[in-house]
Amino acid sequence: MPVAFESLLDPRRGNAIRHPFLEILLMCLCGTLAGADNCEEIEHWSSSNQVWLEKFLTLPHGIPSSDTFRRVLAAVCPEAWGECFLDWAKSLFVTEIDEVIAIDGKTLRRSGDARKDISPLHLVSAWATKNRLVLAQQGVAEKANEIIVIPQVLAKLDLEGCIVTIDAMGCQKEISQQIRSQGGEYLLGLKANHGTLHERVVELFDSERGRNWSTSYGDCIAHSFCETLDKGHGRLEIRRCWVVEDAEWLDFPDDKGNMFGFTSVVCIESERHIKGKVSIESRYFISSLPAEAERVLRAGRHHWGIENRVHWVLDVCFNEDRCRVRDEQARQNLALLRHMCINLFHREKTTKRSLAAKRKAAAWNPDYILKILACA
């Protein structure tokens, strides 16, 4: 295991200790890298590769049973393991200009059981898009929501010089103020949960776009604009971004004044052409960034990296939504293992294979796992 995890305390006591704690965790990590998605598969992978494992591990009592793996994962404190994970991720983090830290939640659909009144686990994660690192994860307690957890996740991160992006759930005055107090900038989604402000912003952009932002119709609100075009796989997408930084308009955007303290309001329009069909979608944001449309659009696009490079990967490559582990701590710890694997796979650059292909390569050739672990 990476050095940062050596401080993690073994939760077992007395006769329950037969197998070395860190060796169990390392087998869980290696098995997950190699395609194991639950404790039975981790045991099977470990047993199949016992000769290889014995080159590095003591294994005084052989390979642990699946029940042993299950009991350990259910006993380890997710918060303590999460702190170790955070320290490890920080050690890998490289400072980048305008690094976008995307905050988003994900529900593990089959981790609940309606018959036993167990709700599915919902996690909030932080993803550094340029570093391609999951920085932190935290579970949302039952009968709670992301608004409570997001500030806790942010408090763990160094936001200096970064741009934090969150969807409309995180568009809260306290969250925007916290990001700024920690030295970061923000781009927060704006929807009908802030009715008056949302209506004013939509009205502003609809009105100005309706007259093509032309001064021939009167005074034009100062703004920044950029447009990008992407083509590929039978799809064409045009993205347009308008950013307004008009001090007079922003001074009183609603009856309560500019309680968020934002610097600009943003509209990003996506026009998609797929098989002769055209669709147009507009999304609205508030931001602490100045009216620099290219910079704002880049941050907005990078936010979707947490969906494409984390959530989609977890479901398609790691079968996360099919995982039926219902124990409160075990399901969080397994999710943390999967996040560790994503970080390691992205850091392993000796091959240009996809993450799914790298996971297969780890299953077929255990020595490839050594290359992956060396990136830790």
Side-chain angles (χ1 to χ4, degrees):
M1 293 292 288
V3 175
F5 295 89
E6 292 181 0
S7 62
L8 190 61
L9 296 178
D10 187 346
R12 301 169 299 167
R13 296 292 181 270
N15 295 332
I17 302 176
R18 295 187 72 245
H19 303 277
F21 177 56
L22 289 180
E23 292 191 5
I24 291 176
L25 296 186
L26 184 59
M27 282 183 274
C28 287
L29 177 59
C30 290
T32 305
L33 286 168
D37 294 327
N38 54 52
C39 293
E40 288 77 11
E41 293 179 3
I42 290 172
E43 180 199 0
H44 182 68
W45 178 87
S46 301
S47 298
S48 301
N49 293 275
Q50 181 170 349
V51 174
W52 181 80
L53 288 169
E54 286 174 343
K55 297 177 183 178
F56 321 102
L57 307 180
T58 60
L59 300 180
H61 299 285
I63 299 298
S65 68
S66 60
D67 286 338
T68 299
F69 285 118
R70 190 177 297 108
R71 283 193 294 268
V72 170
L73 289 174
V76 175
C77 174
E79 289 74 22
W81 200 350
E83 289 300 320
C84 293
F85 179 90
L86 178 66
D87 291 341
W88 172 62
K90 285 182 176 179
S91 72
L92 303 177
F93 185 86
V94 177
T95 303
E96 299 274 2
I97 297 175
D98 279 353
E99 171 66 279
V100 173
I101 297 180
I103 309 291
D104 199 16
K106 180 181 185 298
T107 299
L108 282 64
R109 295 181 184 176
R110 298 195 182 182
S111 61
D113 190 335
R115 293 174 298 178
K116 297 181 179 179
D117 197 28
I118 300 174
S119 299
L121 174 64
H122 189 77
L123 289 173
V124 172
S125 302
W127 167 252
T129 58
K130 291 186 179 180
N131 278 266
R132 294 193 177 187
L133 278 175
V134 179
L135 297 176
Q137 77 166 45
Q138 185 158 332
V140 178
E142 289 196 36
K143 299 181 181 180
N145 59 39
E146 293 182 16
I147 296 176
I148 298 173
V149 174
I150 289 173
Q152 299 171 12
V153 172
L154 291 172
K156 300 175 181 179
L157 306 176
D158 180 6
L159 303 181
E160 191 70 37
C162 297
I163 302 172
V164 178
T165 61
I166 316 175
D167 62 17
M169 176 67 78
C171 188
Q172 304 292 326
K173 177 181 68 174
E174 294 77 11
I175 291 175
S176 65
Q177 292 174 348
Q178 179 182 353
I179 293 170
R180 295 296 293 132
S181 68
Q182 290 184 227
E185 306 286 354
Y186 63 79
L187 180 67
L188 306 179
L190 181 64
K191 290 186 177 179
N193 56 330
H194 291 287
T196 304
L197 177 58
H198 179 257
E199 289 174 8
R200 284 290 309 277
V201 172
V202 172
E203 179 184 342
L204 166 69
F205 285 105
D206 284 351
S207 172
E208 294 299 324
R209 282 183 297 180
R211 61 181 192 173
N212 287 327
W213 300 84
S214 174
T215 54
S216 61
Y217 292 88
D219 292 336
C220 173
I221 291 181
H223 69 285
S224 175
F225 172 78
C226 76
E227 181 177 285
T228 64
L229 186 148
D230 285 331
K231 296 172 64 177
H233 305 287
R235 173 192 182 111
L236 183 148
E237 182 164 3
I238 303 169
R239 297 182 184 87
R240 305 179 183 93
C241 178
W242 295 268
V243 186
V244 171
E245 186 187 4
D246 184 277
E248 185 175 347
W249 190 91
L250 295 176
D251 191 27
F252 296 102
D254 60 22
D255 296 337
K256 299 178 182 178
N258 187 349
M259 60 180 181
F260 290 90
F262 52 82
T263 301
S264 59
V265 290
V266 180
C267 174
I268 297 178
E269 180 183 87
S270 298
E271 179 181 328
R272 299 180 181 90
H273 298 250
I274 305 174
K275 296 181 179 179
K277 295 183 179 179
V278 180
S279 63
I280 298 177
E281 177 188 16
S282 294
R283 291 173 285 127
Y284 302 92
F285 306 83
I286 60 173
S287 178
S288 63
L289 294 169
E292 299 172 1
E294 291 184 10
R295 187 183 180 196
V296 172
L297 179 58
R298 185 165 55 248
R301 289 195 63 188
H302 281 181
H303 176 77
W304 296 106
I306 195 170
E307 292 286 349
N308 301 330
R309 299 185 183 277
V310 182
H311 296 168
W312 184 87
V313 167
L314 287 171
D315 286 340
V316 175
C317 300
F318 289 87
N319 300 306
E320 183 168 79
D321 264 355
R322 297 181 184 179
C323 183
R324 294 180 176 273
V325 175
R326 274 75 186 258
D327 179 87
E328 181 64 32
Q329 299 200 154
R331 59 185 184 174
Q332 289 194 53
N333 290 329
L334 280 169
L336 197 62
L337 275 172
R338 290 187 283 265
H339 279 151
M340 287 181 68
C341 291
I342 286 178
N343 286 352
L344 288 169
F345 278 129
H346 280 307
R347 289 183 59 80
E348 199 291 297
K349 301 184 186 299
T350 63
T351 175
K352 293 185 179 180
R353 297 187 183 103
S354 67
L355 194 148
K358 287 183 177 181
R359 201 176 189 213
K360 287 184 177 180
W364 296 331
N365 179 15
D367 287 337
Y368 177 55
I369 294 176
L370 295 180
K371 288 185 179 181
I372 299 170
L373 295 178
C375 299

